[in-house]
Amino acid sequence: SRMRHDRARYRAWHEGERRGIVRAQAIVRRRQQQEIYREWHGEQRQGLIDDHFLFRGKDKMQAASGYHEHWPHGRGIFHNKQKTFVNSINEGDHLRIISMEQGGDVKGVFTRLAEGAKLITDGVKKVTGEDTAFMSHPIFGMITCCPSNIGTGMRGSVHILVPKLIAAIGFAAIDKMCRERNCQARGSSGEHSAVVDRIDVSNWRRIGFPEYMLVNDMIMCANFLAEEEDKLPEQKYVVEGSAAADEADQ
């Protein structure tokens, strides 16, 4: 299970502005005794990509917008030793607060997210001396760099193993069922990634609803897909794009 909050403070497109955000967050994390990573070379960088902490860098539109600039000094990742609480700085939004762990303890993941977000918010206020930590609007909610996250700024997701369902009806049909339940389906390695035997299910609504409703959307949709998977007979399914499918074509 994985949940995240996206937060933004102000316009920060230049390297100096992004460095300022990293420095402020570094102070907050040191007070919380969290580890900091700023070097993105070789095995460490690839390990963070494989763990879904760091972007893959394969989106041409993101690259053209300057999304990948100013590494490693203007961006960074902070995390606890267990890597169950991760903060990306200047990656998608100014701050992406992530709580995640293996298994289905959604309540535990959400509790860690809420407690961590409060610690960071209080820390930012103390470091900056300001009354508000992040940009917000009394009607729209949190104002984020990515328009799709305006509102709660929260995305809750879970990876679910549904090989029979993928082979039987295809990813597009699964995504349609998710959309009908206020969720969306993605590849398990992130947006636009390949789908093999499992998918990422998450809420797609951000604005106009409380967080508990968005988490419940995800839970209900994941349970529905699990039930649909269990209805299918036990037999050998070959998922298109998988190693088994490649062997079958030879």
Tab-separated table of all heavy atoms in Angstrom, residues 43-74:
chain	number	residue	atom	x	y	z
A	43	GLU	N	24.574	2.395	-8.975
A	43	GLU	CA	23.643	1.485	-8.332
A	43	GLU	C	22.660	2.201	-7.418
A	43	GLU	O	21.504	1.811	-7.323
A	43	GLU	CB	24.415	0.433	-7.533
A	43	GLU	CG	25.246	-0.513	-8.394
A	43	GLU	CD	25.964	-1.539	-7.568
A	43	GLU	OE1	25.797	-1.522	-6.332
A	43	GLU	OE2	26.702	-2.363	-8.144
A	44	GLN	N	23.111	3.248	-6.735
A	44	GLN	CA	22.203	3.946	-5.816
A	44	GLN	C	21.046	4.574	-6.571
A	44	GLN	O	19.887	4.439	-6.174
A	44	GLN	CB	22.957	5.022	-5.040
A	44	GLN	CG	22.089	5.707	-3.991
A	44	GLN	CD	22.762	6.932	-3.410
A	44	GLN	OE1	23.188	7.821	-4.139
A	44	GLN	NE2	22.861	6.969	-2.103
A	45	ARG	N	21.329	5.247	-7.675
A	45	ARG	CA	20.280	5.888	-8.452
A	45	ARG	C	19.327	4.854	-9.028
A	45	ARG	O	18.106	4.999	-8.953
A	45	ARG	CB	20.895	6.724	-9.576
A	45	ARG	CG	19.858	7.450	-10.427
A	45	ARG	CD	20.532	8.295	-11.502
A	45	ARG	NE	19.552	9.063	-12.238
A	45	ARG	CZ	18.842	8.590	-13.267
A	45	ARG	NH1	18.999	7.341	-13.655
A	45	ARG	NH2	17.981	9.362	-13.889
A	46	GLN	N	19.873	3.777	-9.618
A	46	GLN	CA	19.027	2.750	-10.204
A	46	GLN	C	18.202	2.058	-9.134
A	46	GLN	O	17.046	1.690	-9.372
A	46	GLN	CB	19.883	1.723	-10.941
A	46	GLN	CG	19.057	0.719	-11.748
A	46	GLN	CD	18.171	1.390	-12.779
A	46	GLN	OE1	18.621	2.236	-13.540
A	46	GLN	NE2	16.888	1.026	-12.800
A	47	GLY	N	18.775	1.874	-7.942
A	47	GLY	CA	18.035	1.262	-6.849
A	47	GLY	C	16.831	2.090	-6.449
A	47	GLY	O	15.753	1.544	-6.162
A	48	LEU	N	16.972	3.414	-6.442
A	48	LEU	CA	15.857	4.292	-6.097
A	48	LEU	C	14.782	4.253	-7.183
A	48	LEU	O	13.584	4.354	-6.891
A	48	LEU	CB	16.355	5.720	-5.888
A	48	LEU	CG	17.211	5.932	-4.636
A	48	LEU	CD1	17.924	7.270	-4.705
A	48	LEU	CD2	16.365	5.844	-3.386
A	49	ILE	N	15.199	4.098	-8.448
A	49	ILE	CA	14.230	3.974	-9.535
A	49	ILE	C	13.480	2.644	-9.414
A	49	ILE	O	12.257	2.590	-9.526
A	49	ILE	CB	14.933	4.065	-10.904
A	49	ILE	CG1	15.501	5.478	-11.112
A	49	ILE	CG2	13.968	3.706	-12.039
A	49	ILE	CD1	16.336	5.624	-12.371
A	50	ASP	N	14.225	1.572	-9.148
A	50	ASP	CA	13.613	0.250	-9.019
A	50	ASP	C	12.634	0.184	-7.846
A	50	ASP	O	11.643	-0.544	-7.896
A	50	ASP	CB	14.686	-0.825	-8.839
A	50	ASP	CG	15.554	-0.985	-10.072
A	50	ASP	OD1	15.118	-0.543	-11.159
A	50	ASP	OD2	16.672	-1.535	-9.952
A	51	ASP	N	12.903	0.955	-6.792
A	51	ASP	CA	12.026	0.986	-5.621
A	51	ASP	C	10.872	1.966	-5.785
A	51	ASP	O	10.105	2.193	-4.851
A	51	ASP	CB	12.822	1.357	-4.367
A	51	ASP	CG	13.762	0.248	-3.931
A	51	ASP	OD1	13.530	-0.903	-4.324
A	51	ASP	OD2	14.731	0.538	-3.197
A	52	HIS	N	10.770	2.595	-6.991
A	52	HIS	CA	9.682	3.535	-7.313
A	52	HIS	C	9.777	4.829	-6.509
A	52	HIS	O	8.770	5.498	-6.277
A	52	HIS	CB	8.303	2.885	-7.091
A	52	HIS	CG	8.164	1.541	-7.719
A	52	HIS	ND1	8.243	1.340	-9.081
A	52	HIS	CD2	7.972	0.313	-7.169
A	52	HIS	CE1	8.101	0.056	-9.344
A	52	HIS	NE2	7.941	-0.595	-8.204
A	53	PHE	N	10.996	5.205	-6.077
A	53	PHE	CA	11.185	6.466	-5.365
A	53	PHE	C	11.585	7.583	-6.326
A	53	PHE	O	11.232	8.743	-6.124
A	53	PHE	CB	12.271	6.334	-4.295
A	53	PHE	CG	11.950	5.328	-3.217
A	53	PHE	CD1	12.949	4.624	-2.580
A	53	PHE	CD2	10.639	5.089	-2.844
A	53	PHE	CE1	12.656	3.702	-1.593
A	53	PHE	CE2	10.329	4.164	-1.861
A	53	PHE	CZ	11.337	3.469	-1.238
A	54	LEU	N	12.349	7.245	-7.344
A	54	LEU	CA	12.899	8.235	-8.264
A	54	LEU	C	12.306	8.021	-9.642
A	54	LEU	O	12.086	6.876	-10.062
A	54	LEU	CB	14.425	8.082	-8.311
A	54	LEU	CG	15.234	9.112	-9.099
A	54	LEU	CD1	15.050	10.496	-8.498
A	54	LEU	CD2	16.706	8.717	-9.112
A	55	PHE	N	12.022	9.128	-10.380
A	55	PHE	CA	11.404	8.980	-11.687
A	55	PHE	C	12.337	8.264	-12.662
A	55	PHE	O	13.552	8.261	-12.523
A	55	PHE	CB	10.982	10.340	-12.256
A	55	PHE	CG	12.120	11.297	-12.519
A	55	PHE	CD1	12.967	11.113	-13.591
A	55	PHE	CD2	12.322	12.387	-11.695
A	55	PHE	CE1	13.997	11.985	-13.842
A	55	PHE	CE2	13.360	13.264	-11.936
A	55	PHE	CZ	14.194	13.071	-13.019
A	56	ARG	N	11.726	7.635	-13.669
A	56	ARG	CA	12.486	6.838	-14.628
A	56	ARG	C	13.172	7.685	-15.689
A	56	ARG	O	14.102	7.249	-16.350
A	56	ARG	CB	11.557	5.827	-15.309
A	56	ARG	CG	10.999	4.778	-14.356
A	56	ARG	CD	9.983	3.899	-15.069
A	56	ARG	NE	8.819	4.653	-15.487
A	56	ARG	CZ	8.190	4.474	-16.649
A	56	ARG	NH1	8.628	3.581	-17.500
A	56	ARG	NH2	7.133	5.192	-16.944
A	57	GLY	N	12.702	8.925	-15.885
A	57	GLY	CA	13.345	9.813	-16.854
A	57	GLY	C	13.067	9.463	-18.303
A	57	GLY	O	13.842	9.809	-19.191
A	58	LYS	N	11.940	8.786	-18.584
A	58	LYS	CA	11.647	8.365	-19.948
A	58	LYS	C	10.521	9.162	-20.586
A	58	LYS	O	10.088	8.837	-21.692
A	58	LYS	CB	11.298	6.877	-19.952
A	58	LYS	CG	12.454	5.970	-19.545
A	58	LYS	CD	12.075	4.510	-19.653
A	58	LYS	CE	13.249	3.609	-19.282
A	58	LYS	NZ	12.901	2.168	-19.392
A	59	ASP	N	10.030	10.181	-19.908
A	59	ASP	CA	8.929	10.970	-20.427
A	59	ASP	C	9.495	12.194	-21.150
A	59	ASP	O	10.062	13.096	-20.528
A	59	ASP	CB	8.004	11.405	-19.275
A	59	ASP	CG	6.696	11.984	-19.784
A	59	ASP	OD1	6.744	12.829	-20.704
A	59	ASP	OD2	5.636	11.606	-19.268
A	60	LYS	N	9.340	12.250	-22.488
A	60	LYS	CA	9.912	13.335	-23.279
A	60	LYS	C	9.277	14.679	-22.951
A	60	LYS	O	9.935	15.726	-22.994
A	60	LYS	CB	9.758	13.025	-24.768
A	60	LYS	CG	10.583	11.830	-25.237
A	60	LYS	CD	10.400	11.593	-26.729
A	60	LYS	CE	11.228	10.392	-27.191
A	60	LYS	NZ	11.051	10.135	-28.638
A	61	MET	N	7.982	14.674	-22.631
A	61	MET	CA	7.301	15.933	-22.313
A	61	MET	C	7.825	16.505	-21.003
A	61	MET	O	8.009	17.716	-20.864
A	61	MET	CB	5.792	15.702	-22.237
A	61	MET	CG	5.161	15.327	-23.557
A	61	MET	SD	3.365	15.145	-23.453
A	61	MET	CE	2.876	16.827	-23.108
A	62	GLN	N	8.066	15.624	-20.013
A	62	GLN	CA	8.626	16.094	-18.757
A	62	GLN	C	10.015	16.679	-18.969
A	62	GLN	O	10.361	17.726	-18.417
A	62	GLN	CB	8.686	14.943	-17.752
A	62	GLN	CG	7.334	14.487	-17.254
A	62	GLN	CD	7.441	13.302	-16.315
A	62	GLN	OE1	8.500	12.685	-16.200
A	62	GLN	NE2	6.360	12.974	-15.644
A	63	ALA	N	10.821	15.999	-19.774
A	63	ALA	CA	12.181	16.472	-20.027
A	63	ALA	C	12.156	17.829	-20.722
A	63	ALA	O	12.940	18.732	-20.395
A	63	ALA	CB	12.936	15.450	-20.876
A	64	ALA	N	11.247	18.010	-21.690
A	64	ALA	CA	11.158	19.263	-22.426
A	64	ALA	C	10.722	20.419	-21.530
A	64	ALA	O	11.072	21.578	-21.777
A	64	ALA	CB	10.184	19.112	-23.596
A	65	SER	N	9.983	20.114	-20.466
A	65	SER	CA	9.497	21.164	-19.565
A	65	SER	C	10.532	21.574	-18.523
A	65	SER	O	10.290	22.487	-17.740
A	65	SER	CB	8.230	20.685	-18.843
A	65	SER	OG	8.558	19.663	-17.913
A	66	GLY	N	11.688	20.890	-18.514
A	66	GLY	CA	12.692	21.195	-17.505
A	66	GLY	C	12.528	20.408	-16.238
A	66	GLY	O	13.176	20.674	-15.227
A	67	TYR	N	11.673	19.402	-16.286
A	67	TYR	CA	11.336	18.590	-15.113
A	67	TYR	C	12.550	17.896	-14.514
A	67	TYR	O	12.608	17.667	-13.320
A	67	TYR	CB	10.313	17.551	-15.579
A	67	TYR	CG	9.667	16.710	-14.512
A	67	TYR	CD1	8.531	17.158	-13.841
A	67	TYR	CD2	10.153	15.453	-14.204
A	67	TYR	CE1	7.911	16.362	-12.904
A	67	TYR	CE2	9.545	14.650	-13.260
A	67	TYR	CZ	8.422	15.116	-12.617
A	67	TYR	OH	7.811	14.332	-11.687
A	68	HIS	N	13.553	17.548	-15.341
A	68	HIS	CA	14.682	16.753	-14.873
A	68	HIS	C	15.910	17.594	-14.536
A	68	HIS	O	16.975	17.044	-14.279
A	68	HIS	CB	15.081	15.732	-15.945
A	68	HIS	CG	13.978	14.786	-16.303
A	68	HIS	ND1	14.021	13.967	-17.408
A	68	HIS	CD2	12.794	14.521	-15.696
A	68	HIS	CE1	12.925	13.240	-17.474
A	68	HIS	NE2	12.159	13.569	-16.449
A	69	GLU	N	15.785	18.895	-14.586
A	69	GLU	CA	16.950	19.753	-14.384
A	69	GLU	C	17.366	19.830	-12.919
A	69	GLU	O	16.601	19.544	-12.014
A	69	GLU	CB	16.652	21.164	-14.900
A	69	GLU	CG	16.474	21.225	-16.414
A	69	GLU	CD	16.136	22.625	-16.874
A	69	GLU	OE1	15.939	23.501	-16.004
A	69	GLU	OE2	16.066	22.846	-18.092
A	70	HIS	N	18.634	20.259	-12.747
A	70	HIS	CA	19.181	20.621	-11.432
A	70	HIS	C	19.381	19.445	-10.483
A	70	HIS	O	19.351	19.614	-9.271
A	70	HIS	CB	18.319	21.704	-10.756
A	70	HIS	CG	18.030	22.858	-11.649
A	70	HIS	ND1	16.801	23.473	-11.684
A	70	HIS	CD2	18.795	23.482	-12.574
A	70	HIS	CE1	16.832	24.457	-12.586
A	70	HIS	NE2	18.032	24.475	-13.138
A	71	TRP	N	19.569	18.249	-11.041
A	71	TRP	CA	20.017	17.140	-10.218
A	71	TRP	C	21.535	17.219	-10.103
A	71	TRP	O	22.193	17.547	-11.076
A	71	TRP	CB	19.642	15.790	-10.844
A	71	TRP	CG	18.186	15.486	-10.806
A	71	TRP	CD1	17.283	15.676	-11.806
A	71	TRP	CD2	17.457	14.940	-9.713
A	71	TRP	NE1	16.041	15.282	-11.410
A	71	TRP	CE2	16.111	14.825	-10.119
A	71	TRP	CE3	17.795	14.534	-8.417
A	71	TRP	CZ2	15.119	14.318	-9.304
A	71	TRP	CZ3	16.805	14.026	-7.613
A	71	TRP	CH2	15.484	13.927	-8.049
A	72	PRO	N	22.130	16.883	-8.982
A	72	PRO	CA	21.473	16.424	-7.759
A	72	PRO	C	21.259	17.527	-6.725
A	72	PRO	O	20.694	17.288	-5.676
A	72	PRO	CB	22.474	15.397	-7.223
A	72	PRO	CG	23.800	15.979	-7.593
A	72	PRO	CD	23.594	16.679	-8.912
A	73	HIS	N	21.732	18.756	-7.026
A	73	HIS	CA	21.779	19.779	-5.979
A	73	HIS	C	20.440	20.454	-5.723
A	73	HIS	O	20.160	20.876	-4.598
A	73	HIS	CB	22.835	20.830	-6.328
A	73	HIS	CG	24.190	20.243	-6.568
A	73	HIS	ND1	24.924	19.654	-5.573
A	73	HIS	CD2	24.918	20.121	-7.714
A	73	HIS	CE1	26.070	19.206	-6.066
A	73	HIS	NE2	26.090	19.476	-7.363
A	74	GLY	N	19.609	20.573	-6.756
A	74	GLY	CA	18.339	21.259	-6.582
A	74	GLY	C	17.184	20.340	-6.260
A	74	GLY	O	16.045	20.775	-6.172
